[in-house]
Amino acid sequence: MQHPADTSEAKVPYERSPVPGGGAVTLLHAPASPVAVQFDGEIDASWAAQAQRRLVEALLHHRPDPIVIDLRGATRLDPRVVGAILATIDSAGDLDVPVQVLMGAADPSGGLLRPAGGLPAQR
């Protein structure tokens, strides 16, 4: 299944906010900006429920605003978190909500976000 997410440079105004400490999943929304779900540090299985809540909140409570899923600060993503990201991308496509995935130099999903038919390999 092709996912309607773009992994190129941000096309919408979005400024990354640094998050101190270890792993974090943060929802950011400012006027005239897209909704951003920012992942920082190691997001293990203990973060999966919070990640899913933040992604659902971004999609359902802020639509039709575009969503930016910012993985540039993430060092590792648990497969359950990757599943939540992919489900959000699929649901956003059904709701005609634009989604953009931002990744840094390393893929924190261990390649799970780029399976055959998944996200494009652009950075």
Side-chain angles (χ1 to χ4, degrees), residues 31-57:
S33 293
V35 177
V37 181
Q38 183 174 296
F39 292 78
D40 288 286
E42 183 172 328
I43 310 300
D44 61 19
S46 68
W47 286 94
Q50 181 180 354
Q52 185 171 20
R53 281 193 302 275
R54 297 289 183 264
L55 291 162
V56 168
E57 181 180 351

Side-chain angles (χ1 to χ4, degrees), residues 4-106:
D6 178 9
T7 60
S8 60
E9 287 301 310
K11 296 181 181 109
V12 289
Y14 166 69
E15 182 91 21
R16 182 166 175 74
S17 297
V19 176
V25 181
T26 309
L27 179 72
L28 306 167
H29 191 225
S33 293
V35 177
V37 181
Q38 183 174 296
F39 292 78
D40 288 286
E42 183 172 328
I43 310 300
D44 61 19
S46 68
W47 286 94
Q50 181 180 354
Q52 185 171 20
R53 281 193 302 275
R54 297 289 183 264
L55 291 162
V56 168
E57 181 180 351
L59 183 60
L60 297 181
H61 297 289
H62 296 286
R63 87 181 156 141
D65 293 348
I67 298 172
V68 173
I69 300 173
D70 186 350
L71 304 175
R72 293 175 294 177
T75 55
R76 188 182 80 76
L77 298 175
D78 182 84
R80 286 165 276 223
V81 175
V82 174
I85 291 169
L86 292 174
T88 299
I89 292 167
D90 284 342
S91 296
D94 293 342
L95 298 170
D96 293 323
V97 174
V99 175
Q100 187 167 29
V101 177
L102 303 177
M103 284 199 219

